Every structure is written in structure tokens, then in C-alpha cells.
Amino acid sequence: MLCFDQCSIQTQTVSEKGVTYYSALPTDDMAGYYQAAPTSKKHRAFSTMPISGKSVMAIPGIATVYGSRLVNAGFPDADHILALYINAGKHQEKFLLELTALTGANNSRYMMHAFLGVQAVYQNFLM
């Protein structure tokens, strides 16, 4: 979801790996903070193909440590995380709170990447 035409401030950030992120702060009449999807190879690979049978570690933002914590919590496949997204009502805050609680993540940036990846899969294949 982009809101560049309705937002007051637009920023562009380039990470150390050369990935460009765009973000915008909403105007007063808009709730929440919207950010464009990352353009990393992992995000593109994850969001452009169905997730059936993919490991939870295929999700952007989820690597070995967070992935093993999710597997130990009973979420071994990306399908399970998609179900978590749907059960959270496709709401960003609810999903991020649940995913952060499951992984014990202290860096919300990685969980945001996971949210955007799962959201992209939902929009590409289930809508």
C-alpha cells in the first residue's frame, strides 16, 4: 500500500546492501504508517511464487535464528505464517505483535519485511 499522493513527507533510504526503501508519513486524516515493499531478491522470490511447501525461512526478514524459533513454536512452514496473517485480520499491528512474540525479535525492521512479504503473497495469490 502506497500513499505517496496523500502523504505529507516522503523519504527514500538505501541500505548498506543497496536495497532502496520508500516510506511516507501519513497526513492527519490517515491512520497508520505505510511503506512500500522492499525490493530485495528474497522478497521478490517469496512474493512472486505460491508459498505452498516453502520453509518459514523463505519469508523475508526471517533467517536462521527467527526461523528456528518459529519452528520450535509450531510454525515450520510459510503457510502457517500466512494463516497467522489471515487470523490477525490482515492487520499490520496485530500480525507484527504476534510474530514478534513468537520470534522474540528485538528488531521490528525484520518483522516488517516478513509482514510485507506475507501481505504480497496474500495479495498476489489469494485475492
Side-chain angles (χ1 to χ4, degrees):
M1 289 186 274
L2 296 175
C3 66
F4 290 123
D5 55 334
Q6 301 172 351
C7 295
S8 58
I9 301 173
Q10 299 174 22
T11 60
Q12 177 179 354
T13 307
V14 178
S15 71
E16 294 174 9
K17 296 182 179 180
V19 178
T20 303
Y21 301 96
Y22 297 93
S23 59
L25 298 177
T27 56
D28 291 337
D29 59 338
M30 297 175 66
Y33 177 79
Y34 299 87
Q35 181 175 2
T39 57
S40 69
K41 289 179 185 178
K42 188 172 183 180
H43 179 86
R44 283 191 306 269
F46 181 76
S47 62
T48 56
M49 297 177 60
I51 64 171
S52 181
K54 286 187 181 180
S55 165
V56 72
M57 289 180 240
I59 299 173
I62 307 292
T64 308
V65 174
Y66 295 150
S68 63
R69 290 178 186 171
L70 286 169
V71 169
N72 291 338
F75 295 86
D77 300 320
D79 296 355
H80 292 94
I81 303 302
L82 179 61
L84 183 71
Y85 170 76
I86 293 169
N87 288 337
K90 299 175 275 186
H91 294 284
Q92 177 179 333
E93 289 181 31
K94 290 179 185 178
F95 176 77
L96 291 176
L97 285 173
E98 291 182 34
L99 192 59
T100 301
L102 287 169
T103 60
N106 59 2
N107 189 330
S108 61
R109 181 181 73 189
Y110 296 122
M111 298 302 101
M112 179 57 86
H113 289 296
F115 169 77
L116 292 171
V118 171
Q119 181 184 47
V121 166
Y122 180 82
Q123 291 173 347
N124 290 339
F125 298 102
L126 299 176
M127 285 187 74

